[in-house]
Amino acid sequence: MMACQIRRDQEISHQIDSQHPATMSFLRPASSSSKAAFRNTTAIRHYAGKPDTSLGDPKRENLRRALYPSNIRNRPTPVGTWRPDVARALQRAIPSVQAHETIERAWLLHKRHVRKQREAELSRKFEKMREAMDELYKLDSQLYLQANRADDPRAKSAQEMEMAKKLKVSEVRTMDARIPGLFPRELKVPTDTPSRTGWNYDYKPFQRPL
Amino acid sequence: MLSRHVLKRAVGCSNAPARRAFATEVVPPAASPPAPTPPRSKKADKARISTAIILNRSPIITKSQTPFETAFYSYQARIRRALSNPFPHDFYFKQGSLLQTRFNMEERTREKQAFGPSFLPPEEVDAAKAEADKAAVEQLAQQEGEGEELAPRTHEADLKNDVKSLDRQGQRNLYLLLLAEENGKQVWRFPQGGVEKGDLLHQAAQKDLFAECGDHMDTWIVGRKPIGIYKPSPATPEEPQNNVFFFKGHIMAGQVRVDGKSIKDFAWLTKEEVGEKVEKDYWEVVKDILSDF
């Protein structure tokens, strides 16, 4: 029925075309064939057109694609906002749910063992230290008092000031570099491989204030 | 035995131990040298105080992973790789450049290692081009050079088992042990010495260390508090009870130089090796002070 309707419209439009060309726009029905006929008749001009991005430096195009990835999920995007084979990769990586949970529990147990061992060692060391301080308290109260004092890193002792007067400027700097009460910077963090030169056996002694 | 007291009189030590200035002190520093000790009981009269130093060379290299840890970390890396976004090589490398080709080749091998060789679809590149790419990447590697060689984790001191070396057993904590001659017997012990009048314990510890081991070492005593006490039973009942307070120290550079008179030998040993060399009652005290690994 639609097809008949369209054909009748086309017949009507043909008749109108042939008879009255000037008044065609008001009476012409909105059918697809008439729309096609309308487009073919006029030329289209682009004034604000996009420049051709395939020429020249692709940097701008890369940046644009990185900053504004498309939503269409047909391939992995430049910034990787979507990976198509996630499920397949995960199936390869994880053997099964039960296996994964077992591995997780084994790891937590291992961490617990390491932690307990470390805590036990620390508590043994602390116990020895407490014992030593108790004995020191019984033996000599003055030494005990002095052992309990905290070092003030900002304070310079009388001995340090005495030495500063006698030493050269570079030596004074060396002396000042080791601050009492703070860790020395020569205490290095362990690395994956040792240094190529190894341990420094040729250390020149420097008299530091006690 | 040449104690530090004898040495001091012989050499004529000039460094008077100075009292540290404290900001929060109640008594002004200039006014009071260490106060005279209160009248002691007879028992305390018999007590002697000495200091000893447990000199530690900290680990130089990180601890090796156990097989379980290695397996777990690689398992977690596979999962992370599966879940994470693929690397945007179009953005970071110039299209068609040799570095991009090299990166993609390396990435393919990494994915194969993680998920198995049949995971990735076969490459659509033809054989000739693949060969050319491989040759170009190899040439690039040769041009760039291998980079600096890393030192191996086991030192030759490990192979020779040289106990005087400070490069041995890079992962472990090493402790300094001295072979001292006391009353005709040779005992392995930590550096030890008496406390002079007016010295604080940690200052005495430092002085004792230099007296017995030489000062060609960069050492640092940790804090002012002792970490342990050893009370050897006196040989005769008339002798005063000796209280040996242990202090922890770190060595950062240099080496021990023994005089050979009272101290015959030295060694840098791990905890188990110390346990093998040292007396039983000494070990009972010291074993809880040393680090296990």
Side-chain angles (χ1 to χ4, degrees), chain B residues 202-222:
Chain B
H202 64 285
Q203 293 167 341
Q206 183 77 278
K207 288 184 184 173
D208 292 335
L209 179 65
F210 286 161
E212 293 212 328
C213 306
D215 60 353
H216 288 257
M217 297 183 288
D218 188 9
T219 53
W220 178 67
I221 303 273
V222 183

Side-chain angles (χ1 to χ4, degrees), chain A residues 117-135 144 148, chain B residues 225-229 246 248 271 285-291:
Chain A
Q117 200 181 11
R118 186 173 58 231
E119 285 171 6
E121 185 186 312
L122 272 177
S123 71
R124 281 197 300 268
K125 287 181 178 173
F126 182 75
E127 197 49 43
K128 282 285 166 206
M129 210 164 152
R130 200 187 51 78
E131 206 181 293
M133 287 304 275
D134 284 342
E135 291 296 319
Y144 175 82
N148 268 318
Chain B
K225 295 187 179 67
I227 58 171
I229 180 165
F246 288 103
K248 180 170 184 182
K271 183 176 176 178
V285 171
V286 154
K287 70 174 167 31
D288 288 332
I289 305 177
L290 304 183
S291 295

Side-chain angles (χ1 to χ4, degrees), chain A residues 23-24 50 53 63 87 108 113 124 131 143 148 150 160 170 187 197:
Chain A
T23 54
M24 270 177 268
K50 294 193 182 80
T53 50
L63 267 172
L108 290 173
H113 286 324
R124 281 197 300 268
E131 206 181 293
L143 284 177
N148 268 318
E160 280 177 23
S170 59
L187 269 181
T197 50

Side-chain angles (χ1 to χ4, degrees), chain B:
Chain B
M1 151 169 120
L2 271 177
S3 73
R4 190 168 41 83
H5 312 268
V6 175
L7 281 171
K8 185 187 171 182
R9 273 181 222 115
V11 170
C13 167
S14 58
N15 271 351
R19 214 170 144 277
R20 196 162 293 287
F22 302 112
T24 53
E25 213 174 275
V26 174
V27 181
S32 60
T37 49
R40 291 198 199 119
S41 64
K42 262 200 183 155
K43 213 173 174 186
D45 261 335
K46 294 186 122 196
R48 222 166 40 119
I49 298 183
S50 316
T51 48
I53 301 93
I54 297 184
L55 198 62
N56 174 29
R57 190 230 61 192
S58 310
I60 301 175
I61 51 180
T62 49
K63 195 170 164 180
S64 300
Q65 286 179 353
T66 58
F68 175 52
E69 282 174 356
T70 322
F72 180 77
Y73 290 142
S74 56
Y75 174 68
Q76 288 289 314
R78 278 203 296 281
I79 296 178
R80 233 180 7 255
R81 181 172 270 279
L83 289 173
S84 67
N85 298 321
F87 184 74
H89 57 88
D90 306 332
F91 180 68
Y92 282 101
F93 293 104
K94 197 166 155 67
Q95 290 291 345
S97 70
L98 186 53
L99 289 175
Q100 191 188 33
T101 319
R102 182 178 73 172
F103 177 81
N104 285 339
M105 277 169 58
E106 289 171 353
E107 190 64 20
R108 272 191 80 84
T109 46
R110 282 194 285 262
E111 291 256 312
K112 275 191 200 171
Q113 264 181 345
F115 302 124
S118 55
F119 179 70
L120 290 167
E123 277 187 356
E124 299 96 39
V125 192
D126 64 325
K129 190 167 182 305
E131 281 298 314
D133 282 339
K134 235 170 89 169
V137 166
E138 273 171 22
Q139 200 183 31
L140 179 67
Q142 273 179 4
Q143 280 174 355
E144 279 187 338
E146 261 315 304
E148 290 172 351
E149 287 267 329
L150 293 172
R153 278 168 70 93
T154 49
H155 200 261
E156 58 166 318
D158 282 307
L159 305 167
K160 289 194 284 187
N161 209 22
D162 175 16
V163 289
K164 290 195 170 43
S165 167
L166 278 157
D167 295 301
R168 190 177 75 102
Q169 298 275 13
Q171 298 177 38
R172 308 280 313 262
N173 281 292
L174 293 182
Y175 298 100
L176 175 64
L177 217 57
L178 302 179
L179 180 61
E181 200 163 303
E182 282 173 18
N183 310 325
K185 273 198 309 174
Q186 291 201 335
V187 285
W188 283 98
R189 61 161 173 77
F190 291 111
Q192 197 176 312
V195 181
E196 283 166 20
K197 249 193 161 2
D199 262 352
L200 299 179
L201 279 182
H202 64 285
Q203 293 167 341
Q206 183 77 278
K207 288 184 184 173
D208 292 335
L209 179 65
F210 286 161
E212 293 212 328
C213 306
D215 60 353
H216 288 257
M217 297 183 288
D218 188 9
T219 53
W220 178 67
I221 303 273
V222 183
R224 318 176 107 205
K225 295 187 179 67
I227 58 171
I229 180 165
Y230 171 56
K231 294 202 269 203
S233 42
T236 50
E238 290 86 41
E239 245 183 60
Q241 166 74 57
N242 189 14
N243 300 284
V244 183
F245 286 99
F246 288 103
F247 278 84
K248 180 170 184 182
H250 287 276
I251 179 169
M252 280 93 65
Q255 177 64 291
V256 172
R257 288 187 192 184
V258 285
D259 57 358
K261 297 184 197 93
S262 53
I263 312 290
K264 300 290 173 195
D265 201 10
F266 71 95
W268 289 96
L269 304 170
T270 58
K271 183 176 176 178
E272 300 85 47
E273 291 162 0
V274 168
E276 286 162 16
K277 286 210 150 60
V278 139
E279 305 285 302
K280 284 283 174 289
D281 59 336
Y282 201 68
W283 178 238
E284 284 304 307
V285 171
V286 154
K287 70 174 167 31
D288 288 332
I289 305 177
L290 304 183
S291 295
D292 281 337
F293 193 77

